[in-house]
Amino acid sequence: MDCQKKYREYLNSDRRLFFRGETLRNRGVERLSAFESYNRFAADNYSILKEYNFSGRMKIKNCAALIYGNTILQKLMNESLKTDESCSLSDAFYSEAADLLENNSKIISDREMVIINLKQSAQLLRYASLIVNINGYAKPSFDSIDPNVLFRKMADSFWHGVMWEDIFPSSPELARNIFKNRSAIPELLKENRLQVKTEDFAGDFLDITEISSRDDNFSISFFEFYVINWLRNFGVVEIKGKADSELLSVSEYGIELASVFFN
């Protein structure tokens, strides 16, 4: 069962509907010391990375995040869409944008999830000042943008800018706690270059950061539905379905992306 379906079923039920067939309570313990060591250097790493022009450091591959961002910006460029001071966009706008992506092989086929991703992408673009209010209309703040620059700005908005409770709204407290401990994610990615169940990856993160029990099904599904989904959108991880679970894998390209942008 894919993580989007699991999470929707959880939110629509009064019970915890999905239980993991495999309990690996000790998997995260051996990683705790690595997380603590890694976390000590996070602030220093961030200050160094902020001084850069990332576009020359690595070639960015096309990914869902870029496709979502470009679709929104191009649509705004071609239309005269009235907006408010916060540059909010209508449900009709997102529905039409989803229509444009219907046959794109890099975009998931779940229309509801596509619309959620588009709304989250718009939030990242607004934070990066790539969508602005010009005389009462929502417009891109540029005539054209290099894909590397767009990726950097969206990634920076995601990792250092927007409040995750705003883009992951179904549990604001859990979103805040995950954001505060997000520096553990790149370290876990390095340790999971081979395939691992998405729920096990989520459980490891929750366990070593002590946000929740690794068997807290709501927290696991929340992490899968939001955080892992965006790691996939940025091309950091690949997700493949297998039987009743999904498998996460990280390529050398994904490790490099995480090292450069998500530290």
Side-chain angles (χ1 to χ4, degrees), residues 41-155:
F41 297 102
D44 291 338
N45 289 343
Y46 173 55
S47 63
I48 292 171
L49 289 169
K50 289 292 286 184
E51 294 173 3
Y52 49 94
N53 181 347
F54 283 130
S55 61
R57 294 191 59 176
M58 64 182 297
K59 182 174 177 59
I60 299 300
K61 297 178 181 179
N62 195 22
C63 62
L66 283 176
I67 293 169
Y68 289 131
N70 274 317
T71 299
I72 292 169
L73 294 171
Q74 190 63 46
K75 188 170 170 58
L76 290 176
M77 189 174 294
N78 294 333
E79 298 179 9
S80 295
L81 185 67
K82 288 188 175 182
T83 190
D84 53 23
E85 291 183 359
S86 63
C87 290
S88 60
L89 305 172
S90 67
D91 287 341
F93 175 90
Y94 292 115
S95 180
E96 292 169 4
D99 290 340
L100 297 174
L101 299 175
E102 188 172 351
N103 297 316
N104 193 308
S105 61
K106 286 188 174 292
I107 300 298
I108 55 177
S109 58
D110 186 328
R111 180 181 174 83
E112 181 181 351
M113 194 64 188
V114 169
I115 290 175
I116 290 172
N117 285 328
L118 284 165
K119 290 181 177 181
Q120 292 166 331
S121 296
Q123 187 76 340
L124 300 183
L125 295 170
R126 281 191 289 264
Y127 186 90
S129 298
L130 295 177
I131 297 176
V132 294
N133 185 320
I134 300 178
N135 298 323
Y137 293 89
K139 289 291 183 182
S141 58
F142 55 86
D143 293 327
S144 63
I145 187 168
D146 181 86
N148 287 294
V149 175
L150 178 57
F151 185 96
R152 172 174 61 80
K153 288 182 175 293
M154 291 185 71

Side-chain angles (χ1 to χ4, degrees), residues 35 38-39 159 178 180-190 201 204-205 208-209:
F35 167 56
Y38 183 81
N39 199 38
W159 199 251
I178 293 173
K180 289 176 183 177
N181 291 277
R182 68 195 184 284
S183 59
I185 295 173
E187 188 67 19
L188 286 175
L189 289 171
K190 293 175 185 177
F201 184 89
D204 285 346
F205 172 84
I208 67 172
T209 57

Side-chain angles (χ1 to χ4, degrees), residues 111-263:
R111 180 181 174 83
E112 181 181 351
M113 194 64 188
V114 169
I115 290 175
I116 290 172
N117 285 328
L118 284 165
K119 290 181 177 181
Q120 292 166 331
S121 296
Q123 187 76 340
L124 300 183
L125 295 170
R126 281 191 289 264
Y127 186 90
S129 298
L130 295 177
I131 297 176
V132 294
N133 185 320
I134 300 178
N135 298 323
Y137 293 89
K139 289 291 183 182
S141 58
F142 55 86
D143 293 327
S144 63
I145 187 168
D146 181 86
N148 287 294
V149 175
L150 178 57
F151 185 96
R152 172 174 61 80
K153 288 182 175 293
M154 291 185 71
D156 192 59
S157 289
F158 174 73
W159 199 251
H160 298 295
V162 300
M163 293 184 290
W164 282 10
E165 59 262 39
D166 289 340
I167 57 173
F168 305 154
S170 56
S171 179
E173 182 178 2
L174 181 55
R176 283 192 294 270
N177 286 335
I178 293 173
F179 181 80
K180 289 176 183 177
N181 291 277
R182 68 195 184 284
S183 59
I185 295 173
E187 188 67 19
L188 286 175
L189 289 171
K190 293 175 185 177
E191 297 184 17
N192 286 281
R193 299 183 189 221
L194 300 178
Q195 288 185 335
V196 60
K197 289 182 179 180
T198 56
E199 61 190 73
D200 287 341
F201 184 89
D204 285 346
F205 172 84
L206 296 166
D207 186 39
I208 67 172
T209 57
E210 299 183 343
I211 291 176
S212 74
S213 162
R214 64 175 304 106
D215 297 313
D216 183 334
N217 294 289
F218 176 82
S219 297
I220 287 171
S221 294
F222 182 96
F223 189 92
E224 289 178 301
F225 186 79
Y226 288 122
V227 181
I228 292 179
N229 173 63
W230 269 96
L231 292 176
R232 172 172 55 182
N233 285 344
F234 281 114
V236 175
V237 303
E238 294 181 1
I239 306 295
K240 296 181 179 179
K242 185 176 181 180
D244 60 347
S245 64
E246 291 187 320
L247 297 176
L248 175 153
S249 62
V250 191
S251 65
E252 289 300 321
Y253 172 77
I255 293 297
E256 187 176 4
L257 280 180
S259 298
V260 172
F261 295 102
F262 299 146
N263 271 312

Side-chain angles (χ1 to χ4, degrees), residues 24-31 192 196 200-201 204 214:
L24 302 172
R25 296 181 180 275
N26 296 321
R27 287 190 71 216
V29 175
E30 63 195 34
R31 296 189 170 121
N192 286 281
V196 60
D200 287 341
F201 184 89
D204 285 346
R214 64 175 304 106

